[in-house]
Amino acid sequence: MKCLFYLKRIDKTSIINFLIEKETLVSILFILSIHLSYTQNKASESNNLAFQEITKDEHEFERYFKDLKLVHTFNESAAYGFYTHYNWLFKRKGVFKECLRTGKKALVFAEKFEDPFNLTSITEHVSQAFISEGKIDSALFYNRKMLKFYETRFDQKYLNPKNNDYLFEESMLSGYNNIGIFFSEVLKKKDSAMYYFDKARNLPQIPESDNFQFLRHSINDNVALIYMEQGRYQMAKELYQKNHVFYKNKDKERWIRSSLQWGKSEIELGFYKKAEKRLLSSRKRMDSLGEYGSKLHNEILFSRTMESLYLKIKDFRKAEKYSDITYKLISEQNLIDKQFLKSQVNAFNEVNIQSILKLLDNEKVLREKEGNIKQLYFWLLVSTILVSIVILYLLFSRNKFKIQKVNAEKLVEKEKAKTATIKNKLLQREVDFKRKDLTLFANTIAENQKWGSYLLSKIKSSKKYDEASYKELIADLEIEIKDRIKIEQSNLNFQNRIDILNSEFYENLLKAHPNLTKTELKLCSLIRLNLDNKDIAIMQNISKDSVYRSRTRLRKKLNIPSNVDLNIFLKSF
C-alpha cells in the first residue's frame, strides 16, 4: 500500500520573496499553494485531502503553462516548489506525460536538498508514468536510484531525528515498500519483492511514529498477499490477524479490509464456518460506516471472497449470486475510473489548447504593434513557398492521380485474394469444429446408452424381487434419475456461466492454441477456478480417471513442460 506522509517544510519564505521581487506572473494562489503544501505536518490521509484542496482550482493547468516560461528565472527553492507542486497535480489528474516531465526536474532538487519525503513520493509518480509508457527498465532505474540515496545515508541519518522528525526513516520504509510492490505487481518477481519487503520489515522500529507503524502494517498486507499466492495460508492469516488488531481503533476502513482478508485465508485453510461468520460480521460493520472512499473496493473484496467460499463448499447457487454481484461492482468501478480519467485528460487538453491559442494571439498583437518587418518577410516567404507548392501540385496532380488509381486497383485485387484465402481458412476451421462437435455428441450418446443399459438391467433384475423390494428398487431408480437430471441441469447452468465469465480467457487461449476443442476449453476454465479433479469429474459427469487422462492430453496439446504447473500456466492468459 502506497502511503503518503506529511509534506516537508522547505524554504517557503525565500520562494515568496523571490516571486514578489521578480514580479512574475505566478499568482497569489500558487504562492499560497506552495506555502500550504510544504508546511503541513499531518498524517498521510490528512495531507492527501489538503493537497486536493490546493489543486482543485480550475485554472491550475492554465497557470502551469504561463509559469513554465518563467521557471528558468526562479531560484532553486522556487523552482523546486514549482516542479513538485505540479508533479503532484499531474499525478492526481492522470496526465503522465507532464507528470514525467516535472518529476524528473523535481527529483534533481529533492536529492540535492536531501528531501526524503518528496524523493520517495515523486519517484513513485515517475515510476508509474514510465510504466504507463511501457518503459519498465526506466522505472526500475529510478527506484534503485532512490534506494541508493537512502542506503548511502543510513548510518548518518537513521534514528538521528531532528525535533522528533522521523521523516527520513518513514520515507526509507516507504521506498522499500514501493520497490517491493514494483517487483511484485509489475515484474511479477515475488522472490525479489520479498527481498525488499524483508529489508523494510528488518529496519529498526520507531514506536514514536504513527506513520511508521501504519507503513509496517501496510507492508504486512503486501507480504500476506504474496503468501496467499504461494499457498502459505497460515502465514498470511497471522499477518492479517496482526493488521486486524492494529487497525481496530485507528482506521475503521482498513480494519474491515483486514477482516475480509483474514476470512479469505481461513477459506483456503478449510475453516469455512469461521470464515462465513467473520465475513458476514464484516459486512454489517462495513454497512454501518455509511459512504466512504474505499467502500466500493471493500464491497468487491467481500463479494469475491464470498464467491470463493461457496465455490469451496460447492454451494453453486450462492456462488453464482456473489459472482454476479462482483461482476456488477467491478463494471461500476471500471466505469468510474474511465470517466474520471477521461474528464481529467480532456480538461488538461482543453486548457492546453486555450493556452496555445492565447499565446498565438498575444504574439500576433505584439507583432502588429512593433511592426516586426522580419516577421512579415518570413510570412511572405512562407506564402511564396506555399504558392509554389500548390502550382507544382497542380502541374503533376493528373499524373499522380493516374498512378494512384493503378496502384489502388492492384491493391484491391490483392486484398480480394487475401480475403478469399481467409474465408477458405475460416470455412475449413468451421468444418473441423463441426467434426469435433459430432465426435463429442457421439461420445455423449454412447455414455447415455451405457447408462440406459444399466437401467434396463436393473429393471430386468426387479422381476426376481418381491413386491416390497420391487417398490424400493423403483424408488431408488427414480431418485437416481432425478439426481442425474439435476446434476446435468446444474452443470449446464454453471458451465454456461463459466463460459460467459471466461469469454476473454477463451479468446486469448484460442489465439495461442487454436486447435483446442470446446470440451478442452471448458476443462481449462474449471482448472483455472482451482477446482480439484473430483469436482471436475462431478461437473463433467465423468470419472476421476477420465479427468486425469484429459489433463494429461491437455498438457501435451499445450506443450507444457513437466516442471510447469498447469493451473499457473492457464492463469497467465
Side-chain angles (χ1 to χ4, degrees):
M1 302 296 175
K2 306 170 182 64
C3 299
L4 299 176
F5 308 115
Y6 49 83
L7 291 171
K8 184 182 179 183
R9 181 189 300 271
I10 65 169
D11 189 7
K12 62 182 185 304
T13 305
S14 63
I15 297 175
I16 296 173
N17 290 338
F18 176 81
L19 296 177
I20 295 174
E21 178 184 347
K22 292 293 184 179
E23 296 182 352
T24 64
L25 294 177
V26 181
S27 65
I28 296 300
L29 183 58
F30 175 59
I31 296 174
L32 292 175
S33 71
I34 295 176
H35 172 73
L36 289 172
S37 297
Y38 293 96
T39 55
Q40 294 297 317
N41 189 15
K42 297 180 180 178
S44 58
E45 293 179 357
S46 298
N47 167 70
N48 196 24
L49 291 173
F51 200 88
Q52 291 178 11
E53 288 296 318
I54 296 165
T55 58
K56 70 180 181 180
D57 186 356
E58 61 181 354
H59 301 299
E60 285 279 357
F61 287 142
E62 187 175 357
R63 287 203 314 276
Y64 168 73
F65 288 108
K66 291 180 179 178
D67 300 339
L68 191 61
K69 289 191 170 185
L70 303 170
V71 71
H72 66 277
T73 66
F74 296 0
N75 62 22
E76 289 185 339
S77 295
Y80 181 33
F82 171 84
Y83 286 121
T84 300
H85 172 79
Y86 281 108
N87 177 260
W88 281 89
L89 172 66
F90 290 127
K91 163 62 172 60
R92 189 172 65 86
K93 297 292 185 180
V95 185
F96 290 115
K97 182 179 179 181
E98 295 301 321
C99 177
L100 192 60
R101 180 181 184 181
T102 54
K104 288 180 178 179
K105 297 284 189 180
L107 284 175
V108 174
F109 292 111
E111 188 168 355
K112 183 174 182 180
F113 294 152
E114 295 192 346
D115 180 359
F117 167 73
N118 278 316
L119 183 70
T120 297
S121 301
I122 296 175
T123 296
E124 182 191 356
H125 300 172
V126 169
S127 178
Q128 290 184 10
F130 275 125
I131 292 170
S132 71
E133 294 180 356
K135 299 178 180 179
I136 307 302
D137 290 339
S138 298
L140 181 59
F141 169 79
Y142 275 87
N143 275 291
R144 284 177 169 164
K145 186 178 180 182
M146 170 197 63
L147 289 186
K148 184 178 179 181
F149 171 88
Y150 288 115
E151 290 169 353
T152 55
R153 294 165 175 79
F154 180 84
D155 294 335
Q156 176 188 356
K157 289 182 174 292
Y158 202 90
L159 295 182
N160 289 302
K162 296 180 180 179
N163 300 322
N164 293 322
D165 179 4
Y166 292 97
L167 193 57
F168 181 88
E169 293 81 355
E170 295 164 351
S171 300
M172 185 174 186
L173 187 65
S174 179
Y176 277 127
N177 184 40
N178 290 347
I179 196 169
I181 293 171
F182 177 81
F183 274 98
S184 176
E185 296 183 1
V186 180
L187 299 180
K188 307 299 181 185
K189 295 182 179 180
K190 305 302 179 182
D191 291 339
S192 298
M194 285 299 300
Y195 169 78
Y196 288 104
F197 287 142
D198 286 340
K199 292 196 74 169
R201 296 165 78 191
N202 290 331
L203 288 174
Q205 284 272 17
I206 305 178
E208 300 87 351
S209 170
D210 289 337
N211 288 331
F212 193 92
Q213 299 306 318
F214 267 91
L215 261 175
R216 283 188 64 87
H217 286 276
S218 293
I219 293 170
N220 283 347
D221 194 21
N222 296 329
V223 172
L225 289 175
I226 294 179
Y227 284 162
M228 291 291 289
E229 291 181 15
Q230 295 175 341
R232 299 154 74 180
Y233 304 123
Q234 183 60 38
M235 298 176 71
K237 177 187 172 184
E238 293 171 2
L239 291 177
Y240 289 140
Q241 284 176 309
K242 289 181 181 179
N243 282 1
H244 190 68
V245 173
F246 175 79
Y247 290 130
K248 183 173 182 180
N249 297 318
K250 297 179 176 65
D251 190 326
K252 292 296 183 183
E253 295 178 24
R254 292 187 180 182
W255 181 51
I256 291 174
R257 192 179 310 140
S258 64
S259 180
L260 296 175
Q261 292 167 327
W262 186 356
K264 175 64 175 176
S265 65
E266 287 181 325
I267 292 171
E268 298 299 336
L269 289 169
F271 304 137
Y272 301 131
K273 290 185 178 179
K274 286 184 178 180
E276 185 176 27
K277 183 178 179 181
R278 189 179 311 284
L279 291 170
L280 293 176
S281 175
S282 299
R283 177 74 220 193
K284 290 180 181 179
R285 291 195 297 267
M286 186 164 57
D287 291 338
S288 69
L289 291 180
E291 295 296 327
Y292 55 90
S294 60
K295 183 175 182 179
L296 185 57
H297 173 78
N298 283 348
E299 287 180 343
I300 292 172
L301 179 59
F302 169 77
S303 58
R304 216 173 230 167
T305 307
M306 293 298 288
E307 179 188 3
S308 174
L309 169 64
Y310 290 123
L311 280 175
K312 288 285 186 181
I313 62 178
K314 300 179 179 61
D315 190 340
F316 299 122
R317 182 171 295 179
K318 289 184 178 180
E320 183 177 5
K321 170 189 171 184
Y322 281 103
S323 177
D324 289 338
I325 294 173
T326 302
Y327 179 80
K328 291 177 182 177
L329 291 172
I330 292 175
S331 300
E332 181 181 348
Q333 181 66 60
N334 291 338
L335 180 62
I336 292 171
D337 292 343
K338 287 180 181 178
Q339 289 176 343
F340 173 77
L341 182 60
K342 184 177 179 181
S343 64
Q344 299 301 338
V345 173
N346 286 344
F348 173 78
N349 291 336
E350 183 178 351
V351 174
N352 193 357
I353 292 171
Q354 291 175 354
S355 176
I356 293 172
L357 291 175
K358 286 182 180 179
L359 290 174
L360 290 175
D361 290 340
N362 291 336
E363 289 180 2
K364 183 178 179 180
V365 171
L366 182 62
R367 185 173 64 250
E368 291 174 353
K369 287 183 178 180
E370 295 178 354
N372 194 333
I373 298 176
K374 291 183 179 180
Q375 190 74 6
L376 181 60
Y377 284 160
F378 170 78
W379 287 113
L380 287 173
L381 179 60
V382 170
S383 301
T384 303
I385 294 172
L386 290 175
V387 171
S388 301
I389 292 173
V390 171
I391 293 173
L392 290 173
Y393 174 77
L394 292 174
L395 291 174
F396 294 101
S397 60
R398 290 186 179 181
N399 291 334
K400 185 177 180 180
F401 176 75
K402 289 180 180 179
I403 294 172
Q404 289 178 342
K405 185 178 180 180
V406 173
N407 291 336
E409 290 174 352
K410 290 181 180 179
L411 184 61
V412 169
E413 292 299 327
K414 289 182 180 179
E415 291 299 325
K416 286 182 179 179
K418 287 182 180 179
T419 303
T421 303
I422 292 171
K423 285 183 178 179
N424 291 333
K425 288 182 178 179
L426 291 174
L427 182 60
Q428 185 60 41
R429 181 176 293 180
E430 184 177 355
V431 171
D432 292 340
F433 272 112
K434 292 295 183 182
R435 288 174 180 169
K436 292 175 182 176
D437 287 342
L438 288 174
T439 302
L440 176 62
F441 183 65
N443 291 335
T444 304
I445 292 175
E447 186 178 343
N448 288 335
Q449 287 176 344
K450 289 180 181 179
W451 190 64
S453 299
Y454 164 74
L455 289 178
L456 182 61
S457 65
K458 282 279 188 179
I459 294 171
K460 287 181 178 180
S461 64
S462 68
K463 296 177 180 179
K464 302 176 183 180
Y465 298 159
D466 54 25
E467 184 177 354
S469 301
Y470 178 77
K471 289 181 178 181
E472 183 179 354
L473 175 63
I474 293 301
D476 291 340
L477 287 176
E478 183 179 358
I479 292 172
E480 186 175 351
I481 292 171
K482 288 181 178 179
D483 288 343
R484 186 175 181 89
I485 292 172
K486 287 180 181 179
I487 290 172
E488 289 183 355
Q489 185 60 40
S490 177
N491 285 346
L492 180 61
N493 293 337
F494 186 66
Q495 289 176 6
N496 287 339
R497 181 62 183 165
I498 289 174
D499 289 342
I500 294 171
L501 294 178
N502 286 284
S503 58
E504 185 177 354
F505 166 70
Y506 289 158
E507 183 179 349
N508 294 335
L509 188 59
L510 280 174
K511 284 182 181 178
H513 304 280
N515 59 337
L516 291 177
T517 65
K518 291 182 179 179
T519 303
E520 289 167 339
L521 285 174
K522 287 183 178 180
L523 178 59
C524 290
S525 66
L526 295 175
I527 294 173
R528 190 165 174 262
L529 288 174
N530 293 326
L531 296 179
D532 56 25
N533 292 335
K534 181 180 178 182
D535 293 337
I536 295 174
I538 293 173
M539 292 180 63
Q540 297 289 77
N541 196 20
I542 59 177
S543 66
K544 285 178 65 175
D545 292 337
S546 297
V547 176
Y548 284 122
R549 288 193 294 272
S550 298
R551 289 175 72 112
T552 302
R553 287 194 298 269
L554 185 61
R555 290 183 69 92
K556 291 181 180 179
K557 205 165 188 179
L558 296 175
N559 295 322
I560 303 175
S562 59
N563 61 339
V564 176
D565 185 82
L566 179 58
N567 192 359
I568 295 175
F569 174 82
L570 292 175
K571 286 184 178 180
S572 64
F573 289 90

